[in-house]
């Protein structure tokens, strides 16, 4: 999956800007730079240079910085050209570089190829490479800080020290495999069970941190659902702090999904307002309602909004709708039952108290702070934490699988069921899963898939 050729890409975002950076990485960069600028570049110095086309016409005056391998981002020679930031201009510079660099095999970089090279040259591990993408994509301040910590290696260090502990335990177990009659004695003497429990505790803590990290990275898909006219769009507007969706007293106002991203307590929330759920003969509304169900099927959290009218009683239609929603949503998706229009209710009736649902008013804003708190609680957000990192679904899956293997190994070390061989094997499998997080032991095709999701220039 690697090629030894020098690669080039625009590293800055497309569009007009004061500066646009072009990055070149690979072997043979000094001769390429000499061909471009007729100068031998000194490493790590800003060189003010002019670039000319084949006819000798000026393209741009720019700053070039040369980093000699291995002291660079990719671990290879790197040349960074800080040009003026116009799309046409950058295209011309790229064209000229490719023209002159052709003799040394200079080609366009593929998505994520710079980070891939950094990874393959041991400059960063896989979790750190992913953190670069996550830092750039971060949707809140807390996510920026978490990604920066992951990039510094906070997450990887925890994984590595856990792998080290498992390795020590494995060495211990495997060295006694040849003496099967001593298995029980061995387990006692080496305190293998206690050590395994210690490892498991750390793994669970790490998994909890990663869960929080995934919330920080991806945010929460929060779907507002309910019958028509209960005030879903009003609630969206209230949470967003602006009139994003149309609100009218007519049932069936919202016809399409409306998405608005905000942050609540530092957590990115992607709020989706949906068409009110009901039977309808209207073709457009029916299509809108189908989209409501689609949104529910992909939700991380649902607010089931209700307007029980002045009686405060839950009618059978609401109960039926609730059952349908519970049927549609993903298995672990929590549902918050919220009653809107509290401003129209008198003092809470016995019925309302019995329902124990949350009372709010999208109109006056009453109950909104409590609602936000409940939203964060129900997705398992533990609040801003010192040392928080960002994590991905991939990491969580590996941590889950590692936990399962450790739990199995615990069973094989249990009284009456001792098998050191199986105990050791499960330890090995757990270790493999952890190794996949930092990239060791990850199959090449998966590696390629991860980096191909990066954009070009990263
Ligand atoms: N008194 C009062 N009226 C509200 C409140 N929230 C919404 N309304 C009113 O209820 C009506 C319906 O509000 P919407 O926000 O359009 O309701 P919806 O659930 O989006 O309705 P559909 O899009 O038709 O499904 C409007 O007249 C709102 O002004 C509230 O908290 N108190
Ligand atoms: Mg609406």
């Amino acid at each position: 999956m690697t090629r030894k050729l020098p690669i080039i890409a625009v590293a800055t975002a497309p569009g007009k800007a004061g500066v646009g950076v072009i990055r070149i990485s690979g072997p043979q960069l000094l001769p390429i730079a000499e061909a471009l600028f007729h100068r031998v570049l000194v490493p790590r110095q800003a060189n003010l240079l002019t670039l000319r086309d084949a006819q000798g016409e000026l393209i741009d005056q720019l700053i070039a910085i040369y980093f000699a391998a291995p002291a660079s981002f990719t671990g290879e020679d790197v040349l960074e050209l800080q040009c003026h930031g116009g799309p046409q201009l950058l295209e011309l510079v790229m064209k000229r570089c490719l023209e002159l660099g052709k003799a040394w095999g200079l080609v366009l970089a593929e998505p994520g190829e710079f980070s891939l090279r950094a990874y393959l040259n041991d400059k960063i591990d896989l979790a750190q490479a992913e953190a670069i993408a996550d830092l750039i994509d971060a949707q809140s301040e807390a996510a920026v800080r978490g990604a920066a910590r992951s990039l510094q290696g906070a997450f990887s260090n925890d994984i590595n020290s856990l792998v080290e502990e498992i390795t020590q335990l494995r060495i211990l177990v495997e060295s006694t495999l040849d003496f099967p009659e001593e298995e029980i004695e061995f387990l006692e003497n080496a305190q293998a069970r206690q050590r395994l429990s210690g490892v498991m505790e750390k793994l669970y803590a790490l998994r909890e941190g990663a869960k929080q990290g995934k919330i920080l990275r991806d945010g929460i898909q929060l779907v507002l659902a309910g019958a028509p006219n209960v005030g879903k769009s009003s609630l969206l507007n209230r949470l967003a702090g602006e009139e994003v969706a149309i609100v009218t007293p007519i049932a069936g106002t919202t016809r399409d999904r409306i998405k608005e991203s905000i942050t609540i307590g530092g957590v990115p929330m992607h709020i989706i307002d949906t068409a009110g759920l009901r039977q309808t003969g209207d073709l457009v509304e029916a299509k809108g309602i189908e989209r409501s169900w689609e949104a529910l099927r992909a939700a991380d959290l649902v607010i089931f909004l209700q307007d029980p009218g002045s009686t405060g009683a839950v009618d059978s239609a609401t109960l039926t709708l609730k059952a349908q929603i519970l049927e549609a949503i993903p298995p672990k998706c929590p549902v918050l039952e919220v009653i809107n229009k509290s401003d129209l209710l008198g003092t809470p009736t016995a019925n309302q108290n019995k329902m124990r649902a949350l009372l709010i008013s999208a109109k006056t804003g009453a109950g909104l702070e409590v609602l936000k708190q409940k939203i964060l609680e129900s997705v398992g957000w533990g609040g801003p934490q010192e040392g928080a990192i960002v994590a991905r679904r991939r990491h969580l899956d590996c941590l889950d699988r590692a936990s399962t293997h450790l739990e199995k190994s615990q069973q094989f070390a249990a009284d009456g069921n001792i098998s050191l061989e199986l105990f050791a094997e499960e330890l090995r499998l757990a270790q493999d899963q952890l190794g996949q997080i930092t990239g060791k032991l990850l199959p090449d095709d998966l590696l390629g898939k991860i980096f191909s999701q990066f954009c070009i220039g990263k």
Side-chain angles (χ1 to χ4, degrees):
M1 66 182 304
T2 55
R3 37 185 195 170
K4 285 273 172 248
L5 301 172
I7 50 171
I8 182 168
V10 179
T12 39
K16 296 173 193 169
V19 180
V21 175
I22 288 173
R23 186 146 68 174
I24 309 177
S25 175
Q28 305 286 352
L29 289 205
L30 271 185
I32 294 179
E34 213 181 325
L36 286 167
F37 305 113
H38 313 290
R39 284 262 296 270
V40 178
L41 298 187
V42 182
R44 295 176 173 269
Q45 262 183 24
N47 301 277
L48 183 63
L49 302 167
T50 49
L51 182 68
R52 295 179 182 277
D53 67 14
Q55 285 71 45
E57 281 231 35
L58 179 70
I59 299 175
D60 196 14
Q61 186 175 44
L62 53 84
I63 290 174
I65 306 177
Y66 167 67
F67 300 88
S72 72
F73 170 58
T74 57
E76 304 174 324
D77 282 354
V78 167
L79 184 62
E80 263 185 28
L81 307 179
Q82 301 177 6
C83 315
H84 291 96
Q88 290 299 329
L89 166 66
L90 288 173
E91 191 130 316
L92 277 181
V93 177
M94 287 283 288
K95 200 173 137 217
R96 184 65 178 144
C97 290
L98 283 164
E99 220 168 69
L100 287 175
K102 206 172 160 197
W104 292 275
L106 183 65
V107 287
L108 283 174
E110 285 176 0
E113 199 171 358
F114 291 96
S115 305
L116 174 63
R117 290 182 176 202
Y119 165 73
L120 292 171
N121 290 324
D122 277 333
K123 285 279 164 178
I124 46 175
D125 66 29
L126 187 55
Q128 288 173 303
E130 289 170 316
I132 296 176
D134 294 343
L135 182 63
I136 293 166
D137 292 337
Q139 303 172 55
S140 73
E141 190 183 322
V144 168
R145 299 193 189 286
R149 273 188 215 103
S150 289
L151 178 55
Q152 284 299 307
F155 185 40
S156 308
N157 291 344
D158 284 348
I159 297 284
N160 290 338
S161 72
L162 206 56
V163 166
E164 179 54 32
E165 279 190 52
I166 297 179
T167 308
Q168 291 304 325
L169 197 54
R170 274 184 65 193
I171 290 172
L172 206 68
V173 179
E174 282 169 15
S175 63
T176 48
L177 277 181
D178 296 336
F179 312 99
E181 65 284 354
E182 289 163 22
E183 286 188 346
I184 301 179
E185 215 174 302
F186 157 76
L187 282 174
E188 300 306 336
N189 292 346
Q191 297 195 309
R193 291 191 188 112
Q194 287 91 322
R195 287 174 66 171
L196 178 60
S197 300
V199 170
M200 287 174 78
E201 241 167 66
K202 283 187 195 156
L203 179 62
Y204 291 150
L206 210 58
R207 189 171 60 172
E208 192 45 44
K211 264 189 199 157
Q212 304 287 314
K214 180 177 179 302
I215 294 177
L216 261 190
R217 175 185 184 263
D218 296 336
I220 297 294
Q221 302 282 334
L222 166 56
V223 176
L224 306 179
N229 244 359
V230 295
K232 300 178 294 298
S233 302
S234 305
L235 178 57
L236 171 70
N237 292 347
R238 176 56 80 171
L239 288 168
E242 57 179 311
E243 301 299 305
V244 188
I246 299 172
V247 168
T248 77
I250 302 163
T253 302
T254 305
R255 296 296 182 93
D256 215 338
R257 279 170 304 198
I258 301 171
K259 192 167 170 181
E260 185 68 19
S261 293
I262 61 166
T263 60
I264 297 181
V267 177
M269 291 281 165
H270 311 293
I271 307 175
I272 301 156
D273 176 25
T274 59
L277 302 165
R278 66 169 170 183
Q279 296 295 337
T280 176
D282 183 315
L283 183 68
V284 181
E285 189 181 2
K287 282 201 182 271
I289 291 173
E290 184 37 49
R291 292 187 166 197
S292 304
W293 289 113
E294 258 170 42
L296 282 164
R297 285 192 283 271
D300 294 319
L301 170 67
V302 173
I303 289 186
F304 178 31
L305 201 62
Q306 300 160 35
D307 169 11
S310 52
T311 63
V314 184
D315 57 12
S316 65
T318 305
L319 289 176
T320 313
L321 191 52
K322 181 176 160 184
Q324 287 171 331
I325 289 175
L326 288 173
E327 175 94 355
I329 58 178
K332 283 184 188 161
C333 171
V335 177
L336 272 180
E337 283 194 66
V338 179
I339 297 193
N340 189 29
K341 310 194 187 180
S342 64
D343 54 296
L344 297 180
L345 298 168
T347 37
T349 64
N351 261 338
Q352 287 155 16
N353 281 333
K354 229 189 293 168
M355 287 189 301
R356 289 242 225 78
L358 206 60
L359 276 176
I360 64 158
S361 167
K363 188 175 172 187
T364 66
L368 258 288
E369 283 315 307
V370 182
L371 176 62
K372 286 182 185 174
Q373 220 42 54
K374 290 271 178 211
I375 288 173
L376 293 177
E377 266 170 39
S378 53
V379 295
W381 177 244
Q385 266 148 24
E386 233 178 89
I389 45 115
V390 293
R392 301 177 165 212
R393 171 90 266 154
R394 188 183 81 77
H395 304 152
L396 266 183
D397 288 346
C398 289
L399 289 168
D400 279 342
R401 286 193 290 263
S403 309
T404 309
H405 288 304
L406 287 189
E407 279 151 19
K408 279 195 195 154
S409 71
Q410 201 173 32
Q411 284 167 19
F412 290 124
D415 278 339
N417 185 26
I418 294 171
S419 163
L420 284 191
E421 257 163 45
L422 294 172
F423 180 56
E425 175 63 5
E426 293 298 336
L427 286 181
R428 187 185 68 76
L429 292 170
Q431 194 180 357
D432 283 1
Q433 288 301 326
L434 294 175
Q436 290 198 8
I437 294 177
T438 48
K440 291 169 202 125
L441 305 166
L442 194 73
D444 266 8
D445 53 334
L446 267 183
L447 202 61
K449 211 168 135 199
I450 290 168
F451 282 99
S452 67
Q453 285 161 3
F454 284 37
C455 45
I456 292 185
K458 266 187 212 158

